Amino acid sequence: MRHELDASLIAKLKRGLPPESVLVDPHHVLVYECDGSTAFKSSPDAVVLPRSTDEVAAVVRLCSEYGVPFVARGAGTGLSGGATPSEGGLVISLASMNQILELDLSNRLALCQTGVVNLEISRHVARHGLYFAPDPSSQSSCTLGGNIAENSGGPHCFKYGATTSHVLGLTVVLPDGEVVHLGGPRDSVGYDLVGLFVGSEGTFGIATEALVRLMPTPEAVKTLLAPFRSMEAACEAVSDIVALGIVPAALEMLDQPTIQVIEAGVNAAGYPVDAAAVLLVELDGAAHGMDRMEEEIRQQCDKHGAVSFMVARDAQARARLWLGRKAAFGAMGRLSTDLYVQDGVVPRSRLPEVLVKVGEIAERYRIKVANVFHAGDGNLHPCIPYDGRDADECRRVLEAGREILELCVAVGGTISGEHGIGTEKSDHMGLLFSEIDLDLMRSLRDVWNPRGLCNPGKLFPTSSGCGEAASLGSVAAAPGAWI
Amino acid sequence: MYNVRAVLEGRLALTEGLASEFYDCLACRGCESVCPAGVPVGNIMEQARGLITEAKNEGTLLRWAKRFLLSGVLAHPRRLALFMTFARWGDALGLRRLVSAISPALGERAALLPAITPRTVLADRFEPDGKPRKRVALFAGCIASHLFSEVNEATARVLQRNGYEVVVPKEQVCCGALHLHNGLPDTGRELAAKNIEAFKDVDAIVVNAAGCGAALSEYGELLESNPGAKSFAERVVDISAFLVREGFEAPAASPSTKPMRVAYDAPCHLFHAQRVKDEPRELLSKIPGVELVDYREPERCCGSAGIYNVTHYDMSMEVLERKMKDIVPARPDIIATGNPGCHLQLSEGVRRSLLKAEVVHPVVLLDRAYRSER
Ligand SMILES: Cc1cc2nc3c(=O)[nH]c(=O)nc-3n(C[C@H](O)[C@H](O)[C@H](O)COP(=O)(O)OP(=O)(O)OC[C@H]3O[C@@H](n4cnc5c(N)ncnc54)[C@H](O)[C@@H]3O)c2cc1C
Ligand code: SF4
């Protein structure tokens, strides 16, 4: 259902905001039609770029008055169509709200506007020996607000937890325009509303300010790289490393197609292109004992036939190893015009068999797949390059994506590790949840967002998809699935 | 980029507003140095601007001015010579003052151009000092050969001094960069074909202007069907990259009696487009008396961007201001850069910031050093 925007609404918006902060030209609004998952497109009618909580609230009140749907947008790096304005209406971009407002060094807290870019927080506090721990690979462009909405993780979240562990308080503009403050530095009374808001994918309102926890930069860091001759051996090494009781800061894996495409681009990290897989491990914390941990990890890698074992010499070498990994999705742009990044989770021990099956699915649908994933958490990211102009290929890609998720659920995993459900996976929720579960979630959303104007069309199956999901009832969650 | 794709897919109309935004881009290609996907942003921009010309979607006056100056004059060496003679007379008769009096805005832009001195015609052959190592050709450039004849002479002398026989093919024409960047790809292709023919018999095509070098080294993609295009592009090399790659004699004397603080500012079309990053600094570091000074982001665009500083004066000056804010604290005596556009722009920056510094091409500094040996 699309809404024709009332001219008087645009006029009011233009009166309340500087003229360059209200975009209505077709070529201006078009670039807001999708996020990082370009398979899902829907152009907004207008885009606004407010600069303060008050301005956001004023815009939201107008939307509420006119009954126009709206969606918050950070940097648009999301990978599940979360910021796509499915029903048109307004995109409210937080891009101009990028200030770090206050630092409380003794309590290691920062109060930020939510449009601030993730990496800017760490850059800003680096001289105080602090950093913001959640580090999605998109951290040089994604915003704190997007991280909060998606409860984003990152390579280092294996040890430090995803965004939710690092957000203490929020200022939120509710979908009727009311401004509320949730949580705070020492709040543990009553319901954990901050915890509820984090991960709500922009359907509970718009967060405009956030109080986040900062971490002291670790005393020592080591980055290790081990290439393997087979993916299976590499996965087994991961399981054994974790079984030792060592908690590395990060445990990342890249398969051969991924390695090759990274090495061909500007972020070539020096990964051996003939390896079937490389394992990237980072250790951080106290310097004491780190050499021993390194040695234990080396032994496990040797045991599983690692071709070599490299330790980054200095900060520069570490940065280079990480840059390759973090630019992996981007590098896939060398393969085709569009990229579909799948996001599923499986128990670590099932990784090898699942990867083989993912390969089989890809073959069956005649598509290419490159794997790069957070091995420590069993969080897979099969990347499927495709050409969005080829309708048949699009269909095959989406179907393969769905089969991969069914596979994850069947082995006791889940359908998203960190990218969220958004538009992309709303129809797959039935793979994991019963109607009762979904109704409970819907009623929760209705408390925050009773008229459904705030980011409609997300998370929950649309009616057509629902029937489809029901017919696939045979792949219901396996016993002990991580839901 | 997303808009370009939408236009190509037929999902978006190429309106005048959109067309003018395609021209807001500096096309500095800084993004290409960081793009993990290797998106050829410069090339896509050129194609998009070609579409605009096809759709005739820009102001008529601008379109005619561009056609006249770029395709009508720049593309023809003899017409350009004539035009420059008129310009010189105009300059002598106070045309600039007249322009400023009629329109201060145009006057500001005219001030960006250097004084037009009569051109010293470059010889078409330079014998090497001693036994020849190799025969190389010099790409002299069109407007550069008029405004920057000093750089061409210095390039030829430096090559001579290092044992090369230098030829300057007479049939060479403008590289076509300004045409490609400004939506006139057909003229660009015609020029490319002429150059491919003019340079077919030499081992290396040495270029001292970054913008030209970038365009020349992309002839392969521009004229895929021309069998000589790829080999031409492979033989194109920037003077600093050539000297560092093949080895050159370090000068024994300093070009100046005093030590010089030198700030090297990387032209975008050298650093980002041709990926020639360290060679100019290496060359400069071999010159006695040169102390290279560091400052923030020497590889960021200075705002010259071909004719951008004329077409987008205000934005260009904003970019320049940021650049000067970074350079000034380094207190350079010399700002070295290897591109005519950047040279003019930085000279304007020096004038505005009241810095006492000279803008010089690295190879000119090297030439001065050789010449002070005697
Ligand atoms: C190359 C690449 C690598 C990535 N790597 C990772 C990774 O390692 N880990 C990971 O978890 N994700 C990753 N992602 C996905 C994505 O970057 C994250 O989901 C990120 O948090 C999105 O931030 P954003 O600012 O781009 O949000 P957007 O895409 O703009 O929005 C995402 C969702 O958040 C909502 N939203 C945005 N701002 C607000 C706000 N202020 N208040 C309420 N809702 C809001 C939007 O409505 C939307 O639903 C990656 C993406 C890319 C392109
Ligand atoms: S860096 Fe490359 S892949 Fe990334 S947005 Fe720019 S052009 Fe696209």
Side-chain angles (χ1 to χ4, degrees):
Chain A
M1 183 186 32
R2 283 197 81 93
H3 300 247
E4 272 294 310
L5 275 204
D6 203 307
S8 69
L9 170 60
I10 302 285
K12 284 187 191 162
L13 288 170
K14 285 194 172 160
R15 225 172 299 138
L17 295 168
E20 69 277 10
S21 303
V22 182
L23 310 177
V24 288
D25 287 347
H27 65 280
H28 286 152
V29 300
L30 184 83
V31 296
Y32 293 87
E33 71 175 354
C34 62
D35 61 5
S37 48
T38 51
F40 307 92
K41 295 192 179 93
S42 170
S43 193
D45 297 301
V47 178
V48 292
L49 296 108
R51 293 157 305 177
S52 65
T53 302
D54 287 346
E55 285 186 356
V56 173
V59 172
V60 170
R61 271 197 303 273
L62 279 174
C63 289
S64 169
E65 182 187 324
Y66 281 81
V68 168
F70 59 93
V71 45
R73 181 181 173 106
T77 66
L79 290 173
S80 56
T84 307
S86 309
E87 298 184 6
L90 241 60
V91 162
I92 302 177
S93 165
L94 280 301
S96 306
M97 293 183 55
N98 57 4
Q99 301 301 308
I100 296 170
L101 303 169
E102 275 171 41
L103 283 185
D104 175 353
L105 292 176
S106 50
N107 291 305
R108 294 188 187 137
L109 298 172
L111 180 67
C112 309
Q113 287 188 313
T114 52
V116 69
V117 168
N118 172 303
L119 194 58
E120 287 304 318
I121 307 176
S122 294
R123 283 216 182 110
H124 189 81
V125 298
R127 65 201 143 99
H128 305 296
L130 298 171
Y131 75 112
F132 181 57
D135 65 334
S137 303
S138 52
Q139 71 186 136
S140 57
S141 36
C142 69
T143 67
L144 177 58
N147 300 163
I148 290 170
E150 302 290 1
N151 187 21
S152 297
H156 291 76
C157 294
F158 179 58
K159 179 168 177 182
Y160 295 105
T163 305
T164 191
S165 315
H166 304 270
V167 178
L168 299 174
L170 289 172
T171 299
V172 173
V173 176
L174 293 174
D176 61 358
E178 192 189 335
V179 178
V180 293
H181 302 280
L182 312 177
R186 278 167 294 277
D187 182 52
S188 59
V189 184
Y191 292 128
D192 178 10
L193 297 179
V194 173
L196 204 52
F197 190 93
V198 176
S200 62
E201 302 199 16
T203 62
F204 283 3
I206 301 183
T208 54
E209 288 176 16
L211 184 68
V212 301
R213 188 198 306 280
L214 303 170
M215 309 278 288
T217 10
E219 181 192 356
V221 184
K222 255 186 206 232
T223 309
L224 322 169
L225 184 81
F228 287 83
R229 274 187 210 93
S230 84
M231 179 53 92
E232 195 179 352
C235 291
E236 280 164 6
V238 168
S239 288
D240 284 356
I241 291 168
V242 179
L244 282 177
I246 299 177
V247 185
L251 262 173
E252 298 287 305
M253 188 94 75
L254 300 91
D255 73 356
Q256 192 171 37
T258 309
I259 298 168
Q260 289 176 346
V261 73
I262 294 173
E263 291 304 313
V266 293
N267 297 315
Y271 307 145
V273 288
D274 52 355
V278 297
L279 178 62
L280 187 61
V281 188
E282 188 151 282
L283 299 171
D284 72 3
H288 180 76
M290 196 162 279
D291 288 344
R292 211 198 62 236
M293 274 200 281
E294 176 195 326
E295 190 43 44
E296 286 180 53
I297 292 174
R298 180 197 295 266
Q299 280 169 13
Q300 293 307 322
C301 290
D302 283 350
K303 188 174 107 193
H304 293 283
V307 182
S308 61
F309 190 82
M310 189 192 124
V311 185
R313 216 174 325 106
D314 50 22
Q316 213 184 340
R318 282 204 303 276
R320 183 158 173 246
L321 285 180
W322 275 113
L323 190 62
R325 162 63 187 91
K326 296 215 165 180
F329 295 162
M332 308 263 175
R334 306 182 76 84
L335 299 176
S336 196
T337 53
D338 297 83
L339 178 70
Y340 184 48
V341 180
Q342 207 21 299
D343 171 35
V345 184
V346 299
R348 221 168 12 241
S349 58
R350 311 288 293 263
L351 276 171
E353 97 193 68
V354 168
L355 287 167
V356 170
K357 286 195 181 140
V358 167
E360 289 167 5
I361 294 174
E363 213 164 290
R364 201 150 17 85
Y365 284 98
R366 290 175 287 121
I367 53 176
K368 285 202 210 80
V369 61
N371 285 293
V372 46
F373 54 97
H374 311 305
D377 315 306
N379 187 179
L380 292 179
H381 290 318
C383 296
I384 309 176
Y386 70 102
D387 183 345
R389 293 162 295 190
D390 178 340
D392 180 58
E393 194 177 2
C394 289
R395 184 190 51 76
R396 281 185 278 125
V397 167
L398 289 178
E399 281 175 20
R402 183 183 171 96
E403 259 197 52
I404 293 173
L405 293 182
E406 285 168 1
L407 171 65
C408 292
V409 173
V411 300
T414 174
I415 62 173
S416 170
E418 52 184 19
H419 297 166
I421 302 299
T423 315
E424 181 210 343
K425 292 182 178 164
S426 58
D427 285 346
H428 304 337
M429 287 287 270
L431 293 176
L432 212 49
F433 298 106
S434 69
E435 254 326 286
I436 302 172
D437 301 330
L438 290 173
D439 273 341
L440 180 64
M441 286 192 239
R442 274 194 203 98
S443 50
L444 192 56
R445 179 199 57 192
D446 292 346
V447 172
W448 293 76
N449 181 15
R451 295 168 66 200
L453 289 178
C454 181
N455 206 5
K458 306 297 158 70
L459 270 165
F460 300 103
T462 50
S463 45
S464 64
C466 216
E468 193 193 339
S471 70
L472 285 159
S474 54
V475 266
W482 305 354
I483 42 180
Chain B
M1 289 297 107
Y2 198 76
N3 272 333
V4 177
R5 179 169 168 179
V7 169
L8 289 173
E9 289 175 354
R11 297 200 296 131
L12 185 66
L14 187 52
T15 57
E16 215 170 293
L18 178 55
S20 102
E21 280 174 32
F22 283 174
Y23 274 103
D24 287 343
C25 172
L26 290 156
C28 71
R29 304 175 56 172
C31 37
E32 286 182 32
S33 285
V34 294
C35 176
V39 173
V41 178
N43 183 292
I44 293 174
M45 241 347 152
E46 285 169 11
Q47 294 189 26
R49 291 175 180 183
L51 290 178
I52 298 173
T53 309
E54 266 171 45
K56 298 205 168 63
N57 242 340
E58 48 191 340
T60 327
L61 187 66
L62 181 66
R63 201 165 77 230
W64 281 105
K66 270 192 338 202
R67 286 235 159 203
F68 169 67
L69 286 173
L70 297 183
S71 294
V73 177
L74 219 51
H76 304 274
R78 244 175 284 132
R79 286 190 220 163
L80 176 63
L82 195 65
F83 183 82
M84 293 308 283
T85 311
F86 282 134
R88 181 152 48 84
W89 291 346
D91 216 16
L93 295 171
L95 188 66
R96 269 187 236 225
R97 254 169 291 138
L98 186 69
V99 170
S100 324
I102 300 171
S103 155
L106 273 183
E108 280 181 329
R109 290 163 170 75
L112 293 174
L113 290 173
I116 305 166
T117 49
R119 163 163 78 144
T120 34
V121 178
L122 199 62
D124 47 16
R125 245 177 78 91
F126 295 80
E127 292 295 337
D129 295 359
K131 210 164 94 330
R133 278 170 75 178
K134 226 185 199 176
R135 205 164 74 113
V136 299
L138 174 65
F139 182 82
C142 56
I143 201 139
S145 70
H146 288 271
L147 299 180
F148 291 94
S149 41
E150 184 199 8
V151 180
N152 279 339
E153 286 157 25
T155 309
R157 277 194 301 265
V158 164
L159 287 167
Q160 240 180 333
R161 155 72 194 246
N162 282 286
Y164 296 96
E165 178 190 347
V166 185
V167 293
V168 189
K170 268 214 179 56
E171 299 72 29
Q172 61 174 296
V173 290
C174 167
C175 64
L178 287 175
H179 308 85
L180 295 169
H181 299 165
N182 290 288
L184 300 168
D186 293 341
T187 317
R189 279 191 208 100
E190 277 163 33
L191 292 169
K194 287 189 190 154
N195 279 328
I196 292 171
E197 184 57 29
F199 286 93
K200 64 175 189 284
D201 300 324
V202 288
D203 304 329
I205 304 161
V206 178
V207 190
N208 55 34
C212 307
L216 296 168
S217 62
E218 284 162 14
Y219 276 6
E221 292 101 72
L222 180 68
L223 278 185
E224 266 170 280
S225 55
N226 185 318
K230 207 162 152 259
S231 125
F232 178 95
E234 284 161 5
R235 283 175 291 140
V236 170
V237 56
D238 179 75
I239 178 70
S240 58
F242 181 79
L243 290 172
V244 168
R245 185 180 79 197
E246 305 280 325
F248 67 102
E249 210 176 303
S254 168
S256 159
T257 47
K258 285 180 291 183
M260 292 164 290
R261 295 174 61 82
V262 177
Y264 172 67
D265 199 60
C268 298
H269 282 85
L270 199 56
F271 189 95
H272 301 297
Q274 297 183 66
R275 314 259 150 101
V276 174
K277 304 189 172 180
D278 303 326
E279 291 90 336
R281 289 178 65 91
E282 192 168 336
L283 184 150
L284 289 165
S285 71
K286 295 273 157 55
I287 302 176
V290 164
E291 182 202 344
L292 280 169
V293 294
D294 288 325
Y295 59 96
R296 255 181 47 174
E297 299 188 85
E299 72 285 355
R300 190 168 24 78
C301 185
C302 65
S304 150
I307 56 173
Y308 192 90
N309 50 2
V310 180
T311 56
H312 292 68
Y313 184 78
D314 294 334
M315 174 68 103
S316 161
M317 290 303 130
E318 241 175 72
V319 178
L320 177 60
E321 200 173 301
R322 220 178 116 190
K323 167 74 47 188
M324 296 317 292
K325 249 195 208 137
D326 292 336
I327 293 190
V328 169
R331 292 177 292 107
D333 306 304
I334 286 185
I335 300 176
T337 193
N339 192 42
C342 310
H343 194 124
L344 296 180
Q345 179 85 346
L346 291 168
S347 306
E348 174 68 8
V350 167
R351 191 184 68 79
R352 290 179 166 223
S353 58
L354 306 175
L355 188 71
K356 282 210 176 44
E358 185 195 3
V359 182
V360 188
H361 193 297
V363 80
V364 169
L365 209 57
L366 180 61
D367 177 51
R368 284 187 200 162
Y370 284 144
R371 297 212 285 164
S372 350
E373 287 172 346
R374 293 167 211 153

